[in-house]
């Protein structure tokens, strides 16, 4: 087995290379960033990576949503139970399959005191979609054909095709102020952003820390913290050590191996939830014809032992595969995967015409998900025992995206994927050849994806999602290896905090004693 590009164990979701937009700061925040644990009302959070700038559309990974939602509110958001809640939105009316009318709540204001209006919604949609913004989420909204402001709080959104879960999809699109942004332009706006969320911008050192203060006029109620500090601490053990030493109040993305140490301490505890994030194994069928043979795909799946990975690497905290989706996705129905059987895998390869196996690339990206530096070598070793000659490639995210998007990746692709809305369609976007997929070759799956996207009857849509789950498993089209846990180390001086299963962390109700 050949391994390239060694990496350190990190817990992160995919990072796409974007041009960094620097925010001018009030100076280094080293002294401020360490005061959180000693002061009531001041919360310090160690996370894997912060957002690269305070432009909410410059996100590079899912972890950064908690930074964004602290400052900017979306129209809607999925709560920890997967239920859709209106945040800035008051009401959604579906006029016909292609037209939605959104009405905003009245009386809401930006941090500069100006009203939040339908013009801001139109501006935000257009800016998100603009290729010049370089948002990783821009392509997800290509279905929006046009917008029409109807009055101060109402806007019509017209789509190119029926999008049944459009209100849920807008949880990913936070709103930005049209007048304030256009008055000064991007660079000046980022120095003192006008926002709508529970916290206001104070200062930022890109790649180091982000300091926020409470919004005294937050439209959704009283914010209980005075100051919220995010710090970028890539190393999982360092994040835990910060909480145990009192330099931080919360450590996100804790490794399962550190749970015992935290729980045995006198000043911190582990709080863990299920997570919608999964390890996805994707077959490069378009560029690698060998993988269009279903028996070859079956052999790969039978060669991988999720139970062993969970026990040895995750100490039993991960969720075993129950099909393509896990229980946190709307429309989920459990479908058992074929059991681990390397002997059966060898026989399947023989039946496919490869009695001696064949060389196969396992393409990972760094950083990607919990313990990826251990999961992927273990999978490569398992596959080699089933007859494959595995070359493990670990690419930086920009190279991974380039290879994948330009059809130059062969073999397998393994990465962390999260469906932050809880709706199936956001997850299925990555398997849809009309949106993000560059690998899938299955007309039946494609037809099902399009059917669920346009089905407005909730029960019928869930039935189609169940059919999709069955299709993926029955035809061995992709593999969901494990569902990842969401583990945090939390100081006992903190209350009101629970890690979000959908990675949509909010801090407006958290208390620091």
């Amino acid at each position: 087995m050949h391994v390239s590009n060694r990496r350190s164990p990190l817990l992160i979701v995919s990072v796409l290379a974007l041009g960094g937009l620097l925010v001018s700061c009030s100076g280094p925040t080293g002294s401020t960033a360490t005061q959180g644990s000693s002061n009531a009302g001041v919360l310090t959070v160690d996370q894997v990576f912060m957002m690269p700038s305070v432009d909410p559309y410059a996100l590079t990974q899912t972890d950064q949503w908690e930074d964004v939602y602290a400052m900017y509110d979306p129209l809607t958001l999925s709560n920890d139970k997967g239920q859709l809640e209106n945040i800035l939105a008051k009401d959604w009316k579906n006029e016909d399959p292609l037209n939605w009318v959104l009405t905003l709540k009245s009386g809401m204001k930006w941090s500069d005191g100006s009203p939040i209006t339908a013009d801001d919604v139109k501006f935000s949609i257009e800016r998100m979609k603009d290729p010049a913004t370089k948002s990783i989420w821009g392509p997800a909204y290509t279905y929006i054909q046009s917008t029409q402001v109807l009055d101060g709080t109402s806007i019509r959104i017209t789509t190119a095709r029926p999008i049944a879960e459009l209100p849920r999809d807008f949880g990913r699109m936070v709103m930005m102020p049209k007048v304030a942004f256009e008055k000064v332009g991007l660079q000046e706006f980022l120095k003192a952003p006008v926002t709508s969320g529970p916290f206001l911008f104070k200062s930022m050192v890109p790649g180091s820390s982000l300091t926020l203060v409470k919004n005294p006029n937050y439209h959704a109620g009283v914010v209980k913290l005075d100051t919220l500090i995010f710090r970028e601490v890539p190393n999982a053990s360092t994040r835990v050590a910060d909480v145990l030493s009192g330099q931080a109040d919360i450590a996100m993305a804790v490794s399962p191996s550190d749970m015992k140490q935290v729980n045995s301490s006198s000043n911190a505890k582990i709080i863990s939830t299920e997570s919608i994030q999964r390890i996805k194994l994707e077959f490069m069928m378009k560029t690698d014809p060998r993988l269009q043979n279903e028996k070859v795909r079956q052999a790969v799946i039978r060669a991988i032992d999720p139970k062993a990975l969970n026990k040895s690497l995750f100490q039993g905290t991960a969720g075993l595969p129950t099909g393509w989706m896990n229980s946190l996705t709307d429309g989920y129905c459990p479908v058992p995967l074929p059991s681990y059987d390397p002997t059966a895998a060898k026989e399947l390869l023989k039946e496919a015409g490869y009695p001696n196996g064949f060389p196969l690339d396992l393409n990972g990206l760094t950083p990607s998900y919990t313990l990826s530096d251990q999961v992927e070598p273990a999978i490569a070793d398992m596959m080699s025992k089933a007859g494959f000659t595995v070359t493990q490639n670990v690419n930086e995210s920009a190279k991974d995206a380039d290879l994948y998007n330009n059809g130059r990746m062969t073999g397998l692709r393994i990465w962390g994927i999260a469906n932050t809305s809880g709706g199936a369609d956001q997850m299925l976007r990555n398997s849809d050849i009309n949106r993000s997929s560059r690998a899938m070759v299955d007309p039946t799956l494609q037809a099902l994806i399009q059917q669920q996207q346009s089905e407005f009857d909730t029960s019928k849509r869930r039935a189609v999602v169940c059919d999709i789950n069955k299709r993926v498993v029955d035809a061995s089209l992709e593999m969901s290896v494990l569902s990842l846990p969401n583990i945090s180390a939390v100081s006992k001086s903190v209350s009101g905090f629970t890690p979000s299963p959908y990675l949509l962390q909010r801090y407006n109700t958290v208390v620091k004693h």
Side-chain angles (χ1 to χ4, degrees):
M1 178 181 70
H2 169 72
V3 182
S4 63
N5 296 342
R6 297 296 244 171
R7 54 189 166 164
S8 60
L10 303 175
L11 172 56
I12 3 183
V13 236
S14 309
V15 180
L16 302 179
L18 293 175
L21 294 173
L22 297 182
V23 180
S24 75
C25 317
S26 59
T29 58
S31 59
T32 302
T34 59
Q35 69 179 359
S37 62
S38 61
N39 294 341
V42 180
L43 188 81
T44 300
V45 180
D46 279 6
Q47 58 185 139
V48 183
F49 272 97
M50 297 187 321
M51 58 195 301
S53 80
V54 289
D55 182 351
Y57 300 162
L59 289 192
T60 58
Q61 55 201 15
T62 307
D63 287 30
Q64 297 160 347
W65 279 122
E66 61 183 314
D67 303 351
V68 173
Y69 288 136
M71 292 184 287
Y72 301 89
D73 272 346
L75 294 170
T76 62
L77 198 66
S78 296
N79 63 24
D80 288 355
K81 295 181 180 180
Q83 301 164 333
L84 189 65
E85 294 182 350
N86 284 326
I87 304 298
L88 297 179
K90 176 184 177 182
D91 179 64
W92 298 84
K93 180 182 178 183
N94 184 223
E95 296 181 313
D96 57 56
L98 298 181
N99 287 283
W100 291 84
V101 172
L102 159 68
T103 301
L104 296 171
K105 296 175 182 177
S106 60
M108 299 183 301
K109 294 183 179 181
W110 295 105
S111 56
D112 65 358
S114 62
I116 299 174
T117 70
D119 285 324
D120 297 316
V121 178
K122 180 179 178 66
F123 167 76
S124 299
I125 291 173
E126 291 174 351
R127 181 165 186 263
M128 172 71 92
K129 289 182 61 182
D130 186 352
T133 304
K134 298 182 180 179
S135 170
I136 62 173
W137 297 110
Y141 294 97
T142 54
Y143 61 74
I144 298 176
Q145 189 172 67
S146 63
T147 56
Q148 178 188 4
V149 173
L150 302 178
D151 56 43
T153 59
S154 299
I155 182 172
R156 177 178 290 111
I157 301 170
T158 301
T159 60
R161 57 185 184 277
I163 306 293
E165 290 228 283
L166 184 142
R168 185 181 292 273
D169 210 27
F170 268 73
R172 186 173 43 220
M173 186 184 291
V174 297
M175 296 297 104
M176 297 188 70
K178 177 181 184 334
V179 173
F181 186 96
E182 293 183 339
K183 182 179 180 180
V184 298
L186 176 63
Q187 297 304 325
E188 289 300 312
F189 180 86
L190 296 183
K191 294 177 182 179
V194 174
T195 57
S196 59
F199 296 91
L200 308 177
F201 174 78
K202 181 179 179 182
S203 64
M204 183 180 192
V205 179
S208 178
S209 63
L210 171 65
T211 302
L212 310 174
V213 295
K214 72 187 299 181
N215 180 353
N217 301 311
Y218 184 48
H219 66 89
V222 176
V223 179
K224 299 181 179 181
L225 292 170
D226 297 318
T227 303
L228 175 60
I229 302 166
F230 293 111
R231 302 194 307 180
E232 183 172 306
V233 184
N235 185 272
S237 296
T238 303
R239 293 194 298 275
V240 167
D242 284 350
V243 171
L244 295 181
S245 67
Q247 294 187 57
D249 302 298
I250 297 174
M252 304 298 293
V254 171
S255 171
S257 61
D258 288 326
M259 293 174 62
K260 183 177 180 181
Q261 178 189 13
V262 174
N263 279 330
S264 63
S265 73
S266 60
N267 61 340
K269 60 185 177 180
I270 289 291
I271 301 180
S272 179
T273 64
E274 292 181 275
S275 167
I276 202 163
Q277 187 184 13
R278 299 175 295 112
I279 302 173
K280 174 180 179 177
L281 189 71
E282 195 171 355
F283 297 101
M284 300 294 100
M285 286 186 272
K286 270 192 173 182
T287 55
D288 196 334
R290 298 171 303 177
L291 297 172
Q292 294 181 23
N293 188 319
E294 186 175 333
K295 291 184 182 296
V296 171
R297 301 195 301 272
Q298 290 175 350
V300 172
I301 292 172
R302 297 299 288 269
I304 298 172
D305 187 353
K307 289 183 179 179
L309 294 171
N310 187 26
K311 182 179 180 180
S312 62
L313 300 181
F314 292 92
Q315 301 185 10
T317 62
L320 296 174
T322 52
W324 172 225
M325 301 169 187
N326 67 17
S327 61
L328 294 171
T329 302
D330 190 47
Y332 155 83
C333 58
V335 180
L337 265 68
S339 59
Y340 167 67
D341 190 337
T343 301
K346 289 181 180 179
E347 184 60 32
L348 285 163
L349 280 177
K350 183 178 178 180
E351 293 174 8
Y354 302 101
N356 300 315
F358 60 81
L360 191 64
D361 285 348
L362 178 64
N363 299 285
L365 63 153
T366 179
S368 185
Y369 57 88
T370 312
L371 303 181
S372 59
D373 64 314
Q374 298 178 48
V375 170
E376 290 163 22
I379 287 178
D381 184 61
M382 290 174 179
M383 290 177 58
S384 67
K385 293 176 181 176
F388 294 98
T389 303
V390 179
T391 298
Q392 188 192 346
N393 303 310
V394 183
N395 301 309
E396 293 297 329
S397 297
K399 182 177 180 181
D400 171 86
D402 176 62
L403 292 173
Y404 182 75
N405 292 331
N406 292 299
R408 294 187 288 112
M409 182 179 289
T410 60
L412 310 177
R413 186 186 191 218
I414 186 167
W415 54 300
I417 180 173
N419 169 12
T420 54
S421 77
D425 190 59
Q426 187 186 111
M427 189 76 80
L428 292 169
R429 178 174 57 86
N430 295 285
S431 304
D432 185 347
I433 60 174
N434 291 331
R435 290 182 282 176
S436 298
S437 177
R438 302 292 181 271
M440 186 59 64
V441 178
D442 190 78
T444 300
L445 177 65
Q446 185 63 32
L448 288 169
I449 289 175
Q450 293 176 200
Q451 183 182 348
Q452 66 80 32
Q453 190 177 50
S454 61
E455 179 54 73
F456 285 79
D457 183 292
T458 302
S459 60
K460 291 180 180 179
R461 183 170 64 253
R462 288 171 176 166
V464 178
V465 171
C466 188
D467 289 342
I468 290 171
N469 204 24
K470 292 176 181 176
R471 176 63 185 171
V472 170
V473 174
D474 292 346
S476 302
L477 297 176
E478 296 176 330
M479 182 183 185
S480 178
V481 180
L482 289 171
S483 293
L484 299 174
N486 191 2
I487 307 171
S488 299
V490 183
S491 167
K492 291 182 179 179
S493 65
V494 174
S495 61
F497 173 86
T498 302
S500 166
Y502 298 94
L503 310 180
L504 301 175
Q505 197 62 52
R506 300 271 279 181
Y507 290 91
N508 49 304
T509 60
V510 174
V511 176
K512 169 68 182 302
H513 304 285

